[in-house]
């Protein structure tokens, strides 16, 4: 049994992580830390867990009793926490913030995207879980990078649900503002761009093109729907275009053939296919000299704690899919 501690357990990611781990066949939650909720029942904050657990939040952090700790902090807080606290060397860490996603001589964190780093994750002591937008965009573009197609600037649009903004209320998360509304934020400068570029360079070997990313806030609770446009080499006849499309689709299918949760779809995608699951779906179309790639994920699962549990499974030699047998809604 893998013994688990959770820091920052009162937020959206903390609640989803607890939900997954309560149903994991090889996991035991030893503590769920929250200073502001210490002593309260977890189900009083994460009300969907009523009847599933009597676990209470605690201000204690008994690291010596666990095998792995999940950091469900906001960005920048993980690094600060580690400066002030000592976690025993044998305890593995999975960090859901962006603090350690970029390679550096100052840390040993492995970037936790199993589709390209599975073997290193299996050997890792510390894993930096990818961002939600980053996961969706990378899974759309990594096979294209493998084909050496990212030679010109790539246009990316992606829309996320309100849970992507976290549990703390803000002006752009109120229902009256978010419902029936769309808006963009951080165009061309989203914080996930650096990790996206890092992975694309890893697979393609270089990246001279920019990733022109426009993020959207969507009028729904969870999920990310992404479209990416890649400029292709000049082609010839319509027959050549059909062959190019077939070659690209075949390459995408091969790239994800052994992926536990990422699947190529021959049909156009709908967001509802992935919401409440750890799946990522990808679809390609070729229009002349443009490759249109669509991808979608659940931002809280494959975009956050579902992928974190997937990484935990790999780090401890468990079935990669353990605890993640979630089903999408049929409607």
């Amino acid at each position: 049994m893998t013994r688990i501690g959770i820091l920052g357990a009162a937020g959206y990611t903390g609640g989803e992580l607890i939900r997954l781990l309560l149903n994991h066949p090889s996991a035991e939650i030893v503590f769920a830390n929250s200073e502001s909720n210490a002593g309260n029942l977890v189900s009083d904050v994460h009300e969907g867990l009523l009847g599933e657990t009597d676990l209470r939040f605690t201000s204690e952090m008994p690291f010596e009793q666990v095998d792995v700790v999940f950091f469900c902090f906001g960005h920048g807080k993980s690094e600060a926490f580690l400066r002030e606290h000592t976690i025993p060397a044998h305890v593995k860490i999975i960090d859901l913030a962006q603090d350690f996603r970029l390679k550096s001589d100052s840390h040993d964190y492995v970037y936790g995207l199993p589709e390209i780093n599975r073997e290193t994750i299996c050997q890792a002591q510390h894993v930096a879980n990818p961002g939600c937008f980053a996961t969706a965009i990378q899974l759309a573009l990594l096979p294209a990078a493998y084909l050496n197609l990212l030679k010109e600037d790539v246009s990316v649009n992606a829309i996320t649900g309100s849970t992507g903004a976290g549990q703390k209320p803000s002006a752009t998360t109120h229902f009256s503002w978010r419902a029936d509304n769309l808006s963009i934020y951080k165009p061309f400068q989203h914080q996930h761009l650096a990790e996206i570029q890092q992975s694309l360079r890893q697979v393609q070997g270089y990246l001279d093109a920019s990733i022109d990313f426009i993020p959207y806030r969507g009028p729904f609770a969870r999920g990310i729907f992404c479209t990416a446009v890649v400029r292709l080499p000049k082609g010839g006849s319509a027959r050549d275009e059909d062959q190019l499309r077939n070659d690209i689709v075949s390459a995408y299918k091969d790239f994800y053939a052994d992926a536990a949760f990422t699947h190529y779809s021959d049909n156009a995608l709908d967001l509802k296919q992935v919401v409440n699951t750890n799946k990522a779906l990808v679809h390609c179309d070729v229009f002349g000299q443009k490759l249109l790639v669509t991808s979608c994920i659940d931002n809280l699962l494959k975009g956050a704690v579902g992928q974190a549990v997937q990484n935990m499974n790999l780090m401890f030699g468990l079935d990669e899919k353990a605890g993640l047998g979630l089903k999408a809604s049929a409607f």
Side-chain angles (χ1 to χ4, degrees):
M1 194 67 71
T2 303
R3 300 168 301 164
I4 295 158
I6 304 170
L7 301 179
Y12 281 142
T13 55
E16 283 291 280
L17 180 58
I18 293 168
R19 179 171 73 93
L20 295 182
L21 294 175
L22 287 174
N23 293 285
H24 193 295
S26 302
E28 175 191 355
I29 302 173
V30 174
F31 69 87
N33 175 270
S34 171
E35 295 289 336
S36 60
N37 287 283
N40 295 334
L41 285 167
V42 165
S43 58
D44 284 344
V45 175
H46 304 303
E47 295 180 353
L49 297 178
L50 181 64
E52 296 186 33
T53 180
D54 294 325
L55 184 69
R56 290 182 181 272
F57 291 110
T58 178
S59 61
E60 302 299 316
M61 296 178 287
F63 295 125
E64 70 283 353
Q65 298 178 21
V66 301
D67 303 304
V68 59
V69 176
F70 288 86
F71 288 2
C72 296
F73 295 136
H75 300 312
K77 294 184 178 180
S78 299
E79 191 172 13
F81 179 87
L82 289 171
R83 284 197 299 266
E84 299 173 3
H85 300 83
T86 299
I87 294 180
H90 73 276
V91 176
K92 298 181 187 292
I93 297 172
I94 301 174
D95 181 24
L96 278 83
Q98 68 183 28
D99 300 32
F100 302 108
R101 291 174 186 165
L102 300 184
K103 288 184 179 180
S104 171
D105 293 336
S106 66
H107 67 76
D108 66 348
Y109 282 72
V110 170
Y111 188 66
L113 190 68
E115 287 76 7
I116 57 171
N117 291 332
R118 189 177 190 279
E119 296 307 315
T120 50
I121 293 167
C122 288
Q123 304 301 319
Q125 186 69 13
H126 303 139
V127 165
N129 214 59
C132 51
F133 271 131
T135 297
I137 294 168
Q138 288 173 99
L139 295 178
L141 293 177
L142 285 169
Y146 181 76
L147 291 170
N148 197 32
L149 293 177
L150 305 184
K151 297 181 177 180
E152 297 187 46
D153 294 353
V154 179
S155 298
V156 178
N157 292 279
I159 183 169
T160 187
S162 57
T163 52
Q167 194 169 25
K168 186 176 180 180
S170 70
T172 59
T173 58
H174 286 296
F175 177 82
S176 57
W177 186 91
R178 195 97 181 200
D180 305 316
N181 194 20
L182 281 175
S183 63
I184 67 170
Y185 67 108
K186 297 182 181 178
F188 305 111
Q189 52 188 344
H190 194 276
Q191 65 270 17
H192 291 179
L193 278 169
E195 63 188 277
I196 294 167
Q197 292 162 341
Q198 175 179 261
S199 294
L200 295 177
R201 285 192 195 96
Q202 175 184 331
V203 172
Q204 185 165 275
Y206 68 97
L207 185 67
D208 297 329
S210 68
I211 307 300
D212 294 333
F213 172 36
I214 309 295
Y216 289 77
R217 303 179 182 94
F220 49 90
R222 56 196 299 164
I224 291 176
F225 194 90
C226 166
T227 58
V229 179
V230 178
R231 296 276 181 176
L232 298 173
K234 291 184 179 180
S237 64
R239 181 178 179 180
D240 293 334
E241 182 180 316
D242 289 341
Q243 185 60 53
L244 178 60
R245 181 189 183 281
N246 291 339
D247 290 345
I248 290 173
V249 168
S250 179
Y252 266 74
K253 289 181 176 180
D254 288 345
F255 194 91
Y256 292 125
D258 297 326
F261 293 101
T262 301
H263 309 286
Y264 184 86
S265 172
D266 288 319
N267 301 314
L269 304 181
D270 294 294
L271 187 60
K272 281 191 175 182
Q273 291 175 271
V274 298
V275 171
N276 293 315
T277 82
N278 198 52
K279 290 189 297 185
L281 298 183
V282 181
H283 173 75
C284 294
D285 284 301
V286 173
F287 301 92
Q289 292 174 235
K290 296 176 183 178
L291 167 64
L292 172 63
V293 188
T294 310
S295 67
C296 56
I297 63 170
D298 185 303
N299 59 295
L300 290 177
L301 292 170
K302 183 59 175 167
V305 298
Q307 188 154 240
V309 171
Q310 184 181 354
N311 284 325
M312 181 194 76
N313 290 339
L314 293 173
M315 294 167 79
F316 286 91
L318 304 172
D319 179 351
E320 188 172 351
K321 296 183 178 181
L324 295 167
L326 304 162
K327 303 297 184 183
S329 171
F331 302 102

